[in-house]
Amino acid sequence: MGCAPSIHVSQSGVIYCRDSDESNSPHQTTTISQGTAATLHGLFIKTDAADSIPSVLAYQNRYPPATRTGSRKERRDPGQHNCLEAETQTSNTSVKQASTTELWLGPMKLTQDPIQVLLIFAKEDSQSDGFWWACDRAGYRCNIARTQESAVECYLEKHHEIIVIDHRHSRYLDADTVCRSIRATKPSEHTTILAVVPHPASDQDEMSVLPLLNAGFNRRFLENNSMIACYNELIQIDHGEVRSQFKLRSCSSIFTALEQCQEAIEITSEDHVIQYVNPAFERMMGYHKDELIGKEVTELPKSDKNRADLLDTINTCIKQGKEWQGIYYARKKSGDSIQQHVRVTPVIGQGGKIRHFVSIKKLCNASDNNKQIYKINREEKYSGDNALTESHSFRHKNRRKESADVRSITSRSSDAPSLQNHRYSSMARIHTMTIEAPITKVINIINAAQENSPVTVAEALDRVLEILRTTELYSPQLGTKDEDPHTSDLVGGLMTDGLRRLSGNEYVFSKNMNQSHSHLPVPMTISDVPPRIAQALDGEENWDFNIFELEAVTHKRPLVYLGSKIFTSFGVCEFLNCSEATMRSWLQMIEANYHSSNSYHNSTHAADVLHATAYFLQKDSVKASLDQLDKVAALIAATVHDVDHPGRTNSFLCNAGSELAVLYNDTAVLESHHAALAFQLTAKDNKCNIFKKMDRTQHRTLRQAIIDMVLATEMTKHFEHVNKFVNSINKPIAAEDSNSNSEGSDCECSTNTKNSPEDRILIKRMMIKCADVANPCRPLDLCIEWAGRISEEYFAQTDEEKRQGLPVVMPVFDRHTCSIPKSQISFIDYFIMDMFDAWDAFANLPNLIQHLSENYKYWKSLDELKCKSLRCSSESSK
């Protein structure tokens, strides 16, 4: 093993490093300019000043005397020596030991870097070597300073956790002055400073440590050059003072969070002396913190609006270590009373005793304009040893007379931590309203049900009320299965309208509404369809219909031909009172406004969605639920649902500041454009206007149905549509089936609630949504082709985002790294599986579910095969 390099400093201030080893290999010399620092074989050397460089300094690897093969050789010029700082970790062993340490501060996980130690010794001797070796053994990073100035400078640069100062020779180094200089710096409050003092003479008494403490030292170390003694001292400081100080330093982040929190927070001692209030508390109450800290809570003015025994009730609860929450009136400094929702949480400290109380307070918004709902009643009764905890109630006092054991209740409600020490009921107060919203009616019904419900049911209903008061009722939170980046990117890209980041780029795509169609060939009749196309159209009523064959034989114009056949079979022209020529002209015009350059969102996709919609309309349950207007609206909506699609997502358009994003306020940008443009194009040319002979009222109804279905294809409301369908369509049908199959049932099960206008809307939305993303339910060869096409479109978007410097919406769709099987698996898991299960339960589509299952297994097998291949290649490379 090679020795450490020898370091030589010339009179001119140039440092030379000689690297030598036991094999007598030629020396290598490295020159380092004066006043600089460098890392040489793990040894850190830094000169103190340009005019005070030692003439000669030499350091060999440092090992304890027992393990050294030779004596330490060092040449130095005492007259010129002022400062030397050297960093440890010269051996491989010590490098391995220098690792981070994980600590916990309550629920907060901390990571502590390797300890840094500063040795301040005017002269090098066996004692400084002892601490050096101890640092090396413990894996600490160590610096050595010779003068007061260099010590302070080094400390301010590195902020060492431990400082060892030689207090034995005052003529060489004034240790007290050095300590005070370091203590005068701000970072030193978290540093432990150790004084190395000589052993007292045998005839002297033990010296007091007070002078050392007054000078700023934390500990005293009696001179002992044994490496083990030095090592033990440093280890004890590390596990004691250093770790405690590290945790205290971390508290600054907690206080930063408290200072920025929008909720008013008050921390008191066990005797209710105010110890801390955050700025939000100051703003709410009108006090400055200096007026509050150190005062007892009872000294502050109280509002006379609280029930007389409310404070006693609160104290009874929190003194037993139970959290209390409810409505409380507080008096501001101005004298005004304000209504707060308060939560008081006891904090258990040393000895299992309550040491602090944390109060979180929010203003109750009682604005008559907003008619906001809020809780006004929290009451609890405990029997035996349990506390009686009640919040005042404006309308119902002591709604429940019975008492219950808290522990038995909380064991049944372990999923609600806030209820663990509570048995309470909740009632929402609704201000007088001229017209009640549906959510208001639901909450009133739940409140009424709570009145005479068992305590466990009341608790569950309380949680239901909390959920109903949130703004996003249908958007699920990503679970563990969605931590995969493919799922995160896919969901984020499809379910958001962009990151709203301003950009100097504007993305404007060509709109074809001004394009003339006079150059297009005159539409032919159904009987004039070429044989090859007619053959490709055979079997269009089957789910396994191959749309790509039709795309090929029609030269990427499948929509005109498939649309003509489907519209004829459904009697669309008869319903609209238009000619077949007008219908074909309309189809030709719509197809011309699809971008054939898009790999996915082109007229072939529109034809595919139209085919799926027509297939669904043939199902018995769908036919029985929808009338002719619904069917015509569905076919037209499927045809136009992606017209003029630019091949980019809504998020991209919003990020790029496109004119459409500005026009539609970053909300359902593409879907709004598709619906609007379809009607603009239709009305623009009389030859293509399929609506021109319709009755005004009927046209308005049809138009609204088409717009609603096109907007339903927007993915941000995916879960809202699916959940409404399940709750309004699937569950009532399941209940009907259950009742009809039960013995002796005399209920009339032919209510056909699904035929109501509201339910027909839900069915149409679900139908076009399933038709729009039915690719994973197609036969495998078609599924693979669609997967490749959508991936290519996303790849192109990612490429353009990078070129334009836009936020990358779906980073995982990078053409060089993306896994198509993973993206398909994520899409099926998150969007497809549940939706098609619900649609199958209504429309009875076993063949689709069969394809979906087979395709999912196929993508899984590909993914597993790829992972296995990667593992094998990784192992072979090792």
Side-chain angles (χ1 to χ4, degrees):
M1 178 182 295
C3 296
S6 60
I7 308 298
H8 302 276
V9 185
S10 70
Q11 294 286 353
S12 61
V14 178
I15 302 176
Y16 295 95
C17 169
R18 290 193 179 275
D19 189 10
S20 58
D21 55 30
E22 296 174 358
S23 60
N24 296 321
S25 62
H27 295 320
Q28 294 180 344
T29 303
T30 304
T31 303
I32 306 171
S33 63
Q34 172 181 313
T36 62
T39 302
L40 306 174
H41 290 254
L43 188 65
F44 181 79
I45 301 296
K46 181 178 180 182
T47 63
D48 186 50
D51 58 351
S52 59
I53 300 176
S55 57
V56 177
L57 293 177
Y59 277 83
Q60 300 293 336
N61 259 353
R62 295 171 179 270
Y63 293 97
T67 62
R68 288 172 54 187
T69 57
S71 61
R72 175 168 55 90
K73 297 181 180 179
E74 182 173 311
R75 298 188 304 270
R76 61 175 87 227
D77 184 349
Q80 296 187 20
H81 180 262
N82 279 328
C83 171
L84 169 71
E85 294 173 15
E87 187 170 328
T88 58
Q89 300 194 22
T90 57
S91 67
N92 293 332
T93 304
S94 62
V95 171
K96 293 180 181 178
Q97 290 174 339
S99 59
T100 58
T101 303
E102 292 183 352
L103 303 174
W104 288 90
L105 178 61
M108 185 177 179
K109 185 178 181 180
L110 310 173
T111 302
Q112 184 180 22
D113 291 331
I115 303 299
Q116 296 198 89
V117 180
L118 175 60
L119 307 180
I120 305 175
F121 285 80
K123 298 182 65 177
E124 183 179 0
D125 59 8
S126 59
Q127 183 63 76
S128 65
D129 279 353
F131 277 109
W132 174 279
W133 294 323
C135 291
D136 190 61
R137 175 172 177 177
Y140 299 159
R141 294 169 178 166
C142 181
N143 296 93
I144 298 177
R146 300 297 188 212
T147 66
Q148 175 181 332
E149 292 77 12
S150 62
V152 174
E153 178 187 355
C154 186
Y155 175 72
L156 290 176
E157 178 185 350
K158 295 182 177 293
H159 296 171
H160 305 80
E161 287 83 7
I162 303 174
I163 298 178
V164 181
I165 303 179
D166 187 1
H167 204 291
R168 298 168 298 167
H169 311 293
S170 59
R171 61 179 178 174
Y172 299 124
L173 186 70
D174 188 342
D176 289 346
T177 302
V178 174
C179 184
R180 289 191 179 96
S181 299
I182 293 175
R183 285 297 183 204
T185 64
K186 188 174 181 180
S188 67
E189 63 177 321
H190 299 299
T191 299
T192 300
I193 304 181
L194 177 70
V196 179
V197 299
H199 280 279
S202 58
D203 58 343
Q204 289 182 343
D205 294 333
E206 178 74 18
M207 299 294 292
S208 171
V209 297
L210 282 177
L212 294 175
L213 297 176
N214 292 333
F217 291 96
N218 300 99
R219 295 171 68 99
R220 182 189 68 173
F221 180 80
L222 293 178
E223 183 177 13
N224 187 339
N225 58 15
S226 165
M227 184 194 72
I228 295 300
C230 298
Y231 174 80
N232 290 338
E233 181 70 15
L234 293 178
I235 290 296
Q236 290 181 75
I237 295 175
D238 176 10
H239 285 258
E241 289 93 331
V242 170
R243 295 194 180 183
S244 298
Q245 290 293 339
F246 179 68
K247 292 181 180 180
L248 286 176
R249 289 202 308 272
S250 303
C251 290
S252 61
S253 63
I254 300 173
F255 279 104
T256 300
L258 293 176
E259 293 285 297
Q260 300 296 326
C261 183
Q262 297 301 309
E263 295 177 327
I265 298 175
E266 175 189 62
I267 301 176
T268 66
S269 68
E270 55 189 306
D271 298 323
H272 303 293
V273 175
I274 299 175
Q275 299 172 314
Y276 170 83
V277 293
N278 69 341
F281 187 95
E282 295 177 89
R283 292 192 297 269
M284 178 187 289
M285 300 303 298
Y287 289 97
H288 189 272
K289 61 182 180 181
D290 293 338
E291 301 176 88
L292 298 173
I293 294 178
K295 287 189 175 182
E296 291 189 16
V297 174
T298 54
E299 296 180 36
L300 300 180
K302 300 295 184 295
S303 173
D304 54 4
K305 292 188 177 183
N306 293 311
R307 200 174 66 241
D309 62 340
L310 180 58
L311 284 177
D312 292 336
T313 300
I314 296 173
N315 286 330
T316 303
C317 177
I318 63 178
K319 288 281 187 184
Q320 294 196 5
K322 305 180 190 303
E323 182 184 86
W324 179 90
Q325 62 177 328
I327 302 301
Y328 180 82
Y329 282 92
R331 187 178 296 279
K332 299 177 65 174
K333 184 179 179 180
S334 62
D336 298 333
S337 290
I338 56 174
Q339 191 182 38
Q340 302 170 328
H341 185 279
V342 180
R343 180 189 302 165
V344 185
T345 303
V347 179
I348 308 299
Q350 185 178 10
K353 295 182 179 180
I354 298 172
R355 301 297 180 181
H356 306 277
F357 295 104
V358 176
S359 301
I360 302 176
K361 306 181 180 185
K362 292 188 293 185
L363 282 176
C364 292
N365 184 3
S367 169
D368 288 334
N369 294 329
N370 294 327
K371 310 294 190 295
Q372 187 165 350
I373 304 166
Y374 59 88
K375 291 185 179 179
I376 63 169
N377 182 52
R378 295 275 187 191
E379 62 181 4
E380 297 177 61
K381 270 182 175 290
Y382 299 94
S383 60
D385 296 334
N386 297 319
L388 173 65
T389 305
E390 295 180 310
S391 175
H392 66 293
S393 169
F394 289 110
R395 299 198 323 192
H396 296 274
K397 280 193 175 183
N398 300 327
R399 294 195 310 194
R400 299 196 186 93
K401 303 299 181 182
E402 72 273 20
S403 59
D405 182 82
V406 177
R407 289 182 294 274
S408 64
I409 294 171
T410 55
S411 65
R412 296 192 295 268
S413 342
S414 58
D415 59 328
S418 63
L419 301 177
Q420 286 182 359
N421 295 316
H422 287 281
R423 178 194 143 213
Y424 61 82
S425 61
S426 173
M427 179 186 68
R429 184 183 186 185
I430 312 298
H431 291 278
T432 304
M433 301 177 70
T434 305
I435 301 176
E436 282 191 316
I439 190 65
T440 302
K441 295 178 181 179
V442 169
I443 291 175
N444 282 336
I445 293 171
I446 294 175
N447 285 329
Q450 277 187 308
E451 295 299 321
N452 299 310
S453 299
V455 63
T456 51
V457 175
E459 290 172 351
L461 292 177
D462 231 10
R463 294 195 293 275
V464 170
L465 288 173
E466 292 294 336
I467 295 171
L468 290 178
R469 290 188 182 103
T470 62
T471 55
E472 295 295 334
L473 298 179
Y474 293 97
S475 296
Q477 296 177 341
L478 291 177
T480 55
K481 72 175 182 178
D482 303 310
E483 292 174 357
D484 179 79
H486 287 78
T487 304
S488 308
D489 282 0
L490 192 66
V491 174
L494 296 179
M495 297 203 60
T496 61
D497 284 326
L499 304 179
R500 309 293 195 265
R501 296 185 189 175
L502 295 179
S503 156
N505 303 302
E506 283 198 354
Y507 183 79
V508 181
F509 57 89
S510 171
K511 292 191 293 185
N512 299 324
M513 63 176 295
N514 296 320
Q515 172 182 333
S516 171
H517 305 287
S518 58
H519 67 282
L520 297 175
V522 177
M524 61 186 68
T525 62
I526 292 295
S527 59
D528 293 331
V529 173
R532 290 181 60 198
I533 297 178
Q535 183 179 1
L537 283 170
D538 283 345
E540 51 84 22
E541 70 280 0
N542 299 320
W543 181 252
D544 294 350
F545 175 72
N546 193 328
I547 194 68
F548 298 116
E549 289 184 5
L550 183 62
E551 177 192 59
V553 298
T554 60
H555 304 289
K556 296 187 177 182
R557 294 179 58 209
L559 187 57
V560 170
Y561 294 96
L562 182 63
S564 296
K565 185 172 184 180
I566 289 176
F567 279 32
T568 299
S569 64
F570 277 88
V572 174
C573 292
E574 291 79 4
F575 179 83
L576 298 177
N577 193 22
C578 70
S579 66
E580 287 188 9
T582 302
M583 177 58 67
R584 287 192 296 274
S585 295
W586 181 81
L587 286 168
Q588 190 176 34
M589 177 266 298
I590 293 296
E591 184 160 40
N593 279 274
Y594 275 94
H595 297 196
S596 60
S597 58
N598 292 342
S599 60
Y600 182 87
H601 287 102
N602 49 40
S603 66
T604 304
H605 168 65
D608 184 65
V609 176
L610 175 61
H611 171 265
T613 302
Y615 180 82
F616 295 151
L617 287 173
Q618 295 290 357
K619 294 300 172 181
D620 292 338
S621 56
V622 179
K623 283 196 293 186
S625 301
L626 303 180
D627 58 23
Q628 183 64 9
L629 185 145
D630 294 323
K631 296 173 185 176
V632 172
L635 294 172
I636 294 175
T639 303
V640 306
H641 84 283
D642 272 336
V643 65
D644 197 34
H645 196 293
R648 301 292 181 264
T649 63
N650 278 334
S651 297
F652 178 96
L653 298 181
C654 294
N655 289 334
S658 73
E659 59 182 62
L660 282 183
V662 174
L663 177 64
Y664 293 110
N665 300 314
D666 292 348
T667 304
V669 175
L670 285 172
E671 292 72 25
S672 299
H673 174 61
H674 302 322
L677 182 63
F679 284 99
Q680 290 174 15
L681 292 170
T682 303
K684 183 179 177 64
D685 190 345
N686 198 49
K687 294 179 182 179
C688 304
N689 192 348
I690 57 177
F691 306 126
K692 61 184 176 182
K693 294 184 179 180
M694 287 192 70
D695 172 75
R696 182 184 299 273
T697 303
Q698 192 177 47
H699 174 260
R700 182 174 180 82
T701 304
L702 180 69
R703 170 176 158 80
Q704 291 302 318
I706 294 170
I707 292 172
D708 184 81
M709 292 183 72
V710 173
L711 292 180
T713 61
E714 193 228 350
M715 294 302 290
T716 61
K717 293 188 176 181
H718 170 82
F719 295 100
E720 177 177 346
H721 296 320
V722 173
N723 278 283
K724 284 182 177 179
F725 182 85
V726 169
N727 286 287
S728 298
I729 306 298
N730 287 150
K731 289 183 179 179
I733 292 176
E736 276 188 12
D737 293 342
S738 176
N739 290 334
S740 63
N741 293 331
S742 61
E743 292 185 1
S745 174
D746 56 357
C747 68
E748 296 183 5
C749 302
S750 58
T751 55
N752 276 334
T753 57
K754 60 182 178 294
N755 287 330
S756 68
E758 294 79 9
D759 288 342
R760 293 209 312 273
I761 290 173
L762 297 180
I763 292 170
K764 287 183 291 183
R765 288 175 180 172
M766 191 69 161
M767 178 169 59
I768 196 168
K769 281 181 61 60
C770 289
D772 189 26
V773 292
N775 308 331
C777 300
R778 294 289 188 180
L780 180 60
D781 56 337
L782 305 183
C783 173
I784 293 172
E785 176 66 21
W786 284 122
R789 291 189 176 201
I790 189 62
S791 298
E792 176 55 37
E793 200 163 283
Y794 287 154
F795 294 158
Q797 174 171 311
T798 300
D799 293 342
E800 185 166 356
E801 286 167 334
K802 291 179 179 178
R803 284 197 305 271
Q804 293 195 25
L806 295 171
V808 178
V809 175
M810 295 182 283
V812 77
F813 281 97
D814 185 307
R815 65 176 68 252
H816 304 295
T817 59
C818 181
S819 168
I820 294 179
K822 278 188 180 295
S823 65
Q824 286 294 304
I825 292 167
S826 299
F827 185 65
I828 293 172
D829 276 338
Y830 201 83
F831 291 106
I832 299 301
M833 197 71 75
D834 292 341
M835 182 171 70
F836 271 90
D837 281 343
W839 185 235
D840 171 56
F842 172 73
N844 188 23
L845 304 162
N847 54 333
L848 273 72
I849 302 303
Q850 178 67 25
H851 283 316
L852 178 61
S853 176
E854 293 172 354
N855 294 342
Y856 187 77
K857 291 178 182 177
Y858 169 79
W859 295 120
K860 276 284 192 183
S861 63
L862 276 187
D863 183 48
E864 291 169 359
L865 185 63
K866 184 177 181 180
C867 292
K868 183 177 180 181
S869 175
L870 289 174
R871 284 196 300 269
C872 291
S873 63
S874 175
E875 290 173 0
S876 62
S877 65
K878 291 179 181 178

